[in-house]
Amino acid sequence: MIEEAVLVAYLALMVIIGIYEYRRTRGLLDFYLAGRRLGTLLVSFSFFATYFSTAAFLGGGGFGFIAGFQWSAFLTFFHVLFAILAWMIIAPPMRRIAEEVGALTIPEIFAKRFGKLSQLIAAGVIVFFFELYMVSIYKGAGNLLQVMLGIDYVAALVVTAAIVTIYTAIGGFRAVVVTDLIQGLLILIGGVALFATLLISLGGVEAIENLRHVQIFAGMSGEALFEFGKLAPPPIMKAGAVIPFILSLTFAISIAQLASPQLVVRFVAAGDERVIAHGMILTPLIIGIFAICVFSIGPFGWLIIPKYADVKDFLKNPDLVVPFIAMKTFPAGVNALLLTAIVAAAMSTVNSLVHVTATSFVRDILQNVSELSENAALRLTRFMVSVFALLPVIFAVKPFGVIVEIVGLSFSVITATFLIPVLAALYAKKPSSAAISASMITAVVTCAVWYRYFFRTYFIYPVIPGLVASAIAYGVFRLLERSRE
Amino acid sequence: MTLIIAAVYAASIALMVFGFAAALVKARRML
């Protein structure tokens, strides 16, 4: 009962923030970028909350149950590394250049630096792949509410989508970042509290010793949880591809911080250089602390889950590991905090994806092909927020064949498509439209082909070949252009 | 814990400390 009450109070608070921010949103700049006046806490926690969706909380936290501490360690390392790089090499020039060229979206920065073709390609990728990426996040939130509260799956999806739609459509980017701040605090406190409580309840350092002697899966002892290159889902172990799988997946998830449009747009909305400078100190610390705690939870599941349930269900769906551990570790009332934190994680990612998708659709596609007044563009963006927030719910209710494939691919495409253009927009001396367009198209095609034909053989996550091919395409086009010059 | 995993955990913490120090220096230069 207390879980439901806390969750309802939290959802009501999100709507109240949306209404409050509606009154402060006066034009397109406010709705798109919160007037470029955000302070350090808002930019920093918004970056953190947007990045750590349910996928990180449930997937990142739970997958260590199958893959052991190698997963936890490498995922933590890459997260810290790329958080530092994102704030030190991307954030300062991104804010400055966006302000200089007067861009409201990331594809619009591409338009000013490379030309309209790159803007249209980037916006197309955002609209199509973000919509399908949201399906996986909705599914995570829906499954969780179903398992922990017994709410009907479809009802859970609709409630999550409706609340996000209301506060994002009316409150714009200000509502997104203010709710992100609250959601980020909840995620951070919930994650760290769970890890600390878990370790204390298992007897501290003793837990690590006990873990070595438990029986895990495939006839192995807990000792394997501490080894590198030993554990992964069975098809990957059979293929002898544990190390490439673990390294490529942890690298791919983490490098998304450098260029994902929903993240780097936070830098564009920062009030001034001071905000970026302070965020650079604060954000990697928050991300590092969260990563160490939450990503290390999974392996400890072997000291808890076998006592109460059939481990097969958890090996099949490791996303259930963190919520289950929470239910068995926290006192009843405190569960509510973690449940709310996980729903918060999903909402803070969905609101940002929806906002970026709607703003890109109107600013980078529609405003390129038709004349729209500022008021008309604002009204249309609000409407499109609702459309783009609700559309993935339809697919999430019953994902079918090709949708499942594209959802699995979407994260890779987004990460691989944007890294080269973002770096080139910030650092290239002679921006080239053809090279950038070629690199983006190559990234999309390579990720799709790799995912369809090679991933299940080599188990290297598509982001890696996508990024490599995208960089090669950019390099080849630049060489060709130089030889012509 | 095997050496590699312990080393990666240690490297993460070292990186956090290094990143914090580097950010302090860079932030001071920026402001």
Side-chain angles (χ1 to χ4, degrees):
Chain A
M1 189 63 197
I2 189 165
E3 279 91 352
E4 285 92 336
V6 171
L7 191 62
V8 169
Y10 165 77
L11 296 177
L13 178 66
M14 296 299 105
V15 175
I16 291 166
I17 290 169
I19 295 167
Y20 176 75
E21 295 301 343
Y22 172 73
R23 296 161 66 186
R24 300 179 64 188
T25 301
R26 305 201 193 289
L28 220 48
L29 184 62
D30 279 339
F31 193 87
Y32 278 45
L33 290 176
R36 273 193 231 276
R37 287 192 304 267
L38 293 183
T40 305
L41 272 185
L42 285 173
V43 175
S44 183
F45 269 88
S46 178
F47 184 93
F48 166 72
T50 300
Y51 183 59
F52 285 97
S53 64
T54 39
F57 216 120
L58 303 182
F63 200 70
F65 186 69
I66 295 178
F69 285 105
Q70 55 175 350
W71 167 262
S72 322
F74 279 102
L75 196 59
T76 301
F77 177 78
F78 286 132
H79 267 83
V80 174
L81 175 68
F82 289 119
I84 292 170
L85 291 178
W87 279 85
M88 292 192 82
I89 66 168
I90 305 289
M94 176 69 87
R95 196 205 73 80
R96 196 185 59 246
I97 289 172
E99 194 175 34
E100 275 168 18
V101 300
L104 296 183
T105 64
I106 302 304
E108 199 178 0
I109 297 177
F110 297 172
K112 308 278 182 184
R113 295 283 285 148
F114 313 118
K116 291 234 160 124
L117 180 61
S118 55
Q119 180 185 24
L120 286 170
I121 296 171
V125 169
I126 286 176
V127 172
F128 186 72
F129 287 100
F130 271 17
E131 276 297 280
L132 289 158
Y133 179 39
M134 271 183 262
V135 173
S136 62
I137 298 165
Y138 275 131
K139 273 184 68 185
N143 282 332
L144 181 84
L145 289 171
Q146 189 182 23
V147 170
M148 287 189 80
L149 291 182
I151 298 175
D152 174 61
Y153 174 69
V154 177
L157 288 180
V158 172
V159 170
T160 310
I163 302 289
V164 169
T165 304
I166 292 169
Y167 73 70
T168 310
I170 62 176
F173 199 62
R174 278 209 66 86
V176 168
V177 292
V178 172
T179 51
D180 275 357
L181 173 61
I182 295 167
Q183 289 155 347
L185 283 169
L186 266 172
I187 298 168
L188 186 63
I189 295 167
V192 174
L194 177 60
F195 182 66
T197 315
L198 175 69
L199 270 193
I200 293 165
S201 72
L202 293 174
V205 183
E206 211 177 276
I208 294 176
E209 206 44 50
N210 293 338
L211 208 49
R212 289 181 190 279
H213 307 298
V214 292
Q215 270 297 310
I216 57 168
F217 63 105
M220 283 189 267
S221 79
E223 202 65 52
L225 292 167
F226 299 89
E227 289 181 38
F228 180 47
K230 195 122 192 196
L231 292 177
I236 296 161
M237 288 199 288
K238 265 184 210 154
V242 175
I243 291 177
F245 173 74
I246 295 290
L247 290 183
S248 69
L249 187 53
T250 51
F251 179 89
I253 295 171
S254 314
I255 201 174
Q257 292 174 93
L258 288 188
S260 297
Q262 78 277 21
L263 293 175
V264 294
V265 76
R266 265 81 189 146
F267 303 145
V268 177
D272 52 31
E273 290 282 293
R274 187 183 295 264
V275 172
I276 298 291
H278 291 159
M280 193 184 290
I281 300 166
L282 178 67
T283 323
L285 273 186
I286 302 171
I287 289 177
I289 291 167
F290 180 87
I292 288 176
C293 294
V294 171
F295 296 158
S296 303
I297 290 172
F300 290 102
W302 289 104
L303 292 175
I304 296 174
I305 293 168
K307 287 184 197 163
Y308 303 98
D310 187 352
V311 292
K312 275 186 200 146
D313 297 336
F314 295 83
L315 289 171
K316 211 168 145 191
N317 184 8
D319 283 5
L320 297 176
V321 170
V322 171
F324 190 85
I325 290 176
M327 284 198 292
K328 296 297 171 195
T329 305
F330 278 152
V334 189
N335 271 339
L337 170 76
L338 193 93
L339 175 69
T340 310
I342 298 175
V343 174
M347 286 181 135
S348 59
T349 300
V350 169
N351 67 26
S352 305
L353 296 178
V354 165
H355 184 268
V356 163
T357 310
T359 53
S360 252
F361 181 73
V362 174
R363 183 76 177 173
D364 302 314
I365 298 177
L366 292 188
Q367 285 198 307
N368 257 331
V369 293
S370 65
E371 285 286 319
L372 280 176
S373 70
E374 181 162 330
N375 267 343
L378 182 56
R379 276 199 303 273
L380 193 59
T381 312
R382 286 198 156 112
F383 173 71
M384 291 316 296
V385 164
S386 320
V387 172
F388 287 135
L390 298 172
L391 198 60
V393 174
I394 299 169
F395 298 124
V397 170
K398 205 174 184 188
F400 53 91
V402 68
I403 294 294
V404 174
E405 288 283 301
I406 302 172
V407 169
L409 174 69
S410 54
F411 178 84
S412 302
V413 170
I414 295 157
T415 306
T417 306
F418 281 88
L419 186 60
I420 299 297
V422 163
L423 289 174
L426 305 182
Y427 289 103
K429 282 189 182 136
K430 280 191 177 178
S432 153
S433 174
I436 286 300
S437 303
S439 84
M440 287 197 282
I441 292 167
T442 307
V444 176
V445 174
T446 309
C447 285
V449 170
W450 184 271
Y451 189 69
R452 182 79 181 82
Y453 296 106
F454 301 107
F455 176 59
R456 287 168 192 87
T457 307
Y458 300 104
F459 295 103
I460 291 174
Y461 209 61
V463 171
I464 312 288
L467 272 178
V468 171
S470 158
I472 292 172
Y474 179 78
V476 168
F477 267 73
R478 287 299 291 142
L479 281 177
L480 285 175
E481 284 170 346
R482 267 185 213 161
S483 64
R484 254 188 237 158
E485 282 162 16
Chain B
M1 195 171 291
T2 60
L3 204 59
I4 294 177
I5 295 175
V8 176
Y9 265 118
S12 307
I13 293 166
L15 196 60
M16 272 170 76
V17 175
F18 169 78
F20 183 74
L24 275 179
V25 173
K26 186 163 174 145
R28 200 173 283 175
R29 253 188 239 150
M30 280 169 67
L31 300 177

